[in-house]
Amino acid sequence: MAFEYAPAPESRALLDLASTYGLFIGGEFVDGSGSSFKSVSPATEEVLAEIAEATEVDVDRAVGAARRAYARTWSRMPGSERAKYLYRIARIISERSRELAVLESLDNGKPIRESRDVDLPLVSAYFFYYAGWADKLEYASPSWQPDGGRGRAPAPLGVAAQIIPWNFPLLMLAWKIAPALACGNTVVLKPAETTALTALYFGEICQQADLPPGVVNIITGAGETGRALVTHADVDKVAFTGSTEVGKEIARAVAGTKKSLTLELGGKAANIVFDDAPIDQAVEGIVNGIFFNQGHVCCAGSRLLVQESVFDDVMVRLKRRMRTLRVGDPLDKNTDVGAINSPQQLAKIRELSAVGEAEGAERWSAPCELPDRGYWFPPTVFTGVSQAHRIAREEIFGPVLSVLTFRTPAEAVEKANNTPFGLSAGVWTDKGSLILWMANELRAGVVWANTFNQFDPTSPFGGYKESGYGREGGRHGLEAYLAH
Ligand code: NDP
């Protein structure tokens, strides 16, 4: 069982949260022309702020501002100058990281330990990394040189429409904005309805960095706003992260236009444990794979494949470890698992878990006291899962693990690949040769070996099949924002 810990809440004193927010267009916060919506803390249901809902008219203003900034300043600026702005943004994010981490945890529900130690350091790292590329684009790949190798930088695309989800609000913003700006594009970004606050803070950071007006525009709203942005005639590039369903709709909307598209969609990753794996480390990797960020992770290790000979041992140790997870106040520094982001997501997790039981799988949840207010779900594991069960096929996007077994490496590969998705996978074994063989066989964009959920700005990330196309991160991530 978990030790009794005294509460260790992170202070909110640093936060200077306004009660209402407009849209960030042309370097200024402006009123929207439509209605507004509330951003709620999922841990307490406290209303944090009222936010403008951008209409088609507002989307048009934002795209217009981005187009003017593209034509007049940003695309003409030498890469070395663009880099200075990106370095400045990266430094300001580092300086304000505690404040941003508190806001991210408050608005999203993720534990402060994660927003402080994972999200925010990565957010500034992505800006630092792509700042370094801004004046070296001609070296990114010889095949991109439009002038036959004389070393001229490849051209940007123009105005990028970027739509991001609610699971890593600031990190997804960094993955989208940093490479786009480094390559000379301007952007209009729409954060998710439930987690727009840190993106609006980022608008302030752009002002603080003296970024030329219109280079970054943040428009808030729900699906309709996203749809208006994607279909706007003056957008050159669409970059989307979110559900496969909306990704398909966007692909249909963009088909037949001159817009280029990258999609980062869902996943149902296999985390594969062989009998020679260091089991305690593997159990840590399993926990990190599915309970990190409440399982709201596209590359979460939501299907655990365990070699039959170590199944009992793994399950005993996994349940023992799950009993020590602290679920509760995201702002408490001891919390391991925070709140579910929205009532809609909680309903989806509950529904799919009920289906798991109804289809015959055995459900076990870590005993924990859940707060009375807010949206909560205990860390849960299903055993006796077959490949046909919905909990083995569909993205639950919550702290719910489905466990299957296998006997041979070939069976593990077949089961791991038996999914419409192909975003990530994990392999736990002592044998280097087995790791290399598995990495070749698995149809997944990222394969982690004896670790899970590791992210690095220098490393490309993206999927196969229904997990989308295009890569974000690393040198490959530049490709999505350059004409070549
Ligand atoms: P969505 O795909 O609906 O949302 C992602 C982003 O797209 C949000 O900013 C959303 O706005 C916006 N959006 C919604 N509809 C449209 C549209 N028609 N055109 C353009 N943009 C649109 O995901 P949800 O947040 O609704 O989550 C649903 C499920 O998707 C989850 O349960 C999970 O399974 C999966 N998901 C997967 C993610 C991943 O990274 N793989 C991330 C998030 C969700 P708004 O939020 O304001 O509606």
Side-chain angles (χ1 to χ4, degrees):
M1 296 300 280
F3 290 105
E4 279 283 321
Y5 275 10
E10 174 65 67
S11 165
R12 281 170 65 166
L14 276 176
L15 276 190
D16 185 16
L17 203 56
S19 56
T20 59
Y21 281 92
L23 310 167
F24 184 67
I25 297 178
E28 287 172 12
F29 283 94
V30 298
D31 291 338
S33 65
S35 54
S36 60
F37 60 93
K38 293 180 172 55
S39 199
V40 168
S41 170
T44 56
E45 300 174 53
E46 168 195 353
V47 175
L48 297 172
E50 184 104 18
I51 299 173
E53 174 152 22
T55 62
E56 261 181 57
V57 173
D58 302 320
V59 168
D60 189 52
R61 275 159 78 198
V63 173
R67 174 61 61 196
R68 284 189 295 280
Y70 178 75
R72 292 180 192 163
T73 52
W74 200 246
S75 67
R76 296 167 168 221
M77 195 182 274
S80 54
E81 290 301 309
R82 291 199 304 270
K84 288 182 192 169
Y85 287 103
L86 289 169
Y87 278 123
R88 206 179 287 167
I89 289 171
R91 281 196 299 272
I92 296 171
I93 289 169
S94 300
E95 282 160 18
R96 295 181 63 176
S97 69
R98 193 55 72 97
E99 175 193 0
L100 291 163
V102 170
L103 183 57
E104 195 78 310
S105 283
L106 204 56
D107 200 22
N108 167 281
K110 64 174 71 203
I112 185 74
R113 206 163 53 79
E114 291 178 8
S115 51
R116 184 196 59 198
D117 298 347
V118 182
D119 295 51
L120 262 299
L122 280 171
V123 171
S124 51
Y126 273 83
F127 276 99
F128 275 120
Y129 176 75
Y130 280 113
W133 270 116
D135 62 349
K136 303 176 193 69
L137 298 174
E138 62 271 34
Y139 301 109
S141 166
S143 63
W144 300 351
Q145 291 179 15
D147 59 351
R150 286 195 300 277
R152 196 185 303 150
L157 294 172
V159 174
Q162 306 185 317
I163 297 181
I164 55 171
W166 41 263
N167 51 345
F168 294 92
L170 256 189
L171 186 56
M172 290 300 103
L173 174 151
W175 283 27
K176 296 272 180 293
I177 291 184
L181 263 46
C183 293
N185 304 276
T186 55
V187 309
V188 180
L189 177 127
K190 192 200 87 66
E193 189 183 1
T194 57
T195 55
L197 290 175
T198 44
L200 292 165
Y201 258 51
F202 182 79
E204 283 177 17
I205 289 173
C206 293
Q207 289 177 327
Q208 211 181 327
D210 277 333
L211 190 71
V215 171
V216 167
N217 305 274
I218 311 278
I219 53 162
T220 44
E224 273 311 305
T225 306
R227 195 175 281 129
L229 179 57
V230 166
T231 54
H232 193 288
D234 202 25
V235 155
D236 301 295
K237 154 87 191 174
V238 176
F240 172 78
T241 298
S243 63
T244 296
E245 189 191 350
V246 174
K248 284 180 180 173
E249 186 186 327
I250 289 176
R252 280 193 292 271
V254 165
T257 70
K258 64 175 176 41
K259 298 172 191 173
S260 57
L261 176 65
T262 38
L263 294 173
E264 202 265 274
L265 310 175
K268 193 73 191 174
N271 203 359
I272 307 165
V273 180
F274 287 95
D275 59 7
D276 63 344
I279 301 294
D280 282 331
Q281 278 98 316
V283 165
E284 281 309 305
I286 296 163
V287 166
N288 174 39
I290 187 63
F291 302 124
F292 170 65
N293 203 32
Q294 297 73 246
H296 301 327
V297 185
C298 48
C299 52
S302 52
R303 283 184 302 150
L304 174 63
L305 302 189
V306 185
Q307 197 151 20
E308 214 172 77
S309 47
V310 287
F311 172 76
D312 291 337
D313 188 18
V314 168
M315 289 315 298
V316 167
R317 295 199 221 189
L318 177 60
K319 287 181 180 174
R320 192 192 302 146
R321 178 68 180 88
M322 284 171 66
R323 285 174 193 276
T324 67
L325 291 173
R326 289 162 210 280
V327 184
D329 181 7
L331 287 183
D332 192 309
K333 292 170 210 160
N334 296 321
T335 294
D336 297 308
V337 180
I340 301 301
N341 181 253
S342 66
Q344 293 80 5
Q345 190 57 33
L346 180 59
K348 181 179 168 185
I349 297 167
R350 284 183 174 154
E351 186 207 321
L352 275 169
S353 299
V355 169
E357 266 182 307
E359 289 186 340
E362 191 182 320
R363 172 180 182 159
W364 183 86
S365 293
C368 54
E369 247 177 68
L370 300 178
D372 297 333
R373 288 187 70 81
Y375 321 126
W376 304 93
F377 198 87
T380 296
V381 56
F382 278 97
T383 46
V385 179
S386 87
Q387 294 187 84
H389 287 163
R390 276 181 67 191
I391 54 168
R393 291 186 287 118
E394 293 179 30
E395 189 176 43
I396 301 173
F397 224 62
V400 181
L401 178 67
S402 301
V403 187
L404 298 97
T405 57
F406 66 91
R407 288 183 185 167
T408 64
E411 188 186 344
V413 166
E414 201 165 316
K415 285 185 168 165
N417 287 341
N418 184 13
T419 166
F421 300 109
L423 195 54
S424 63
V427 179
W428 297 83
T429 172
D430 208 22
K431 290 188 194 69
S433 56
L434 184 56
I435 289 169
L436 294 175
W437 183 79
M438 293 290 290
N440 260 341
E441 297 293 314
L442 291 167
R443 288 287 290 163
V446 182
V447 180
W448 286 293
N450 294 324
T451 185
F452 209 91
N453 273 343
Q454 293 292 334
F455 306 99
D456 190 293
T458 65
S459 172
F461 183 90
Y464 288 101
K465 302 192 281 187
E466 291 203 2
S467 292
Y469 42 79
R471 293 292 179 265
E472 294 186 303
R475 187 175 58 74
H476 304 71
L478 297 166
E479 227 170 304
Y481 290 98
L482 291 169
H484 47 86

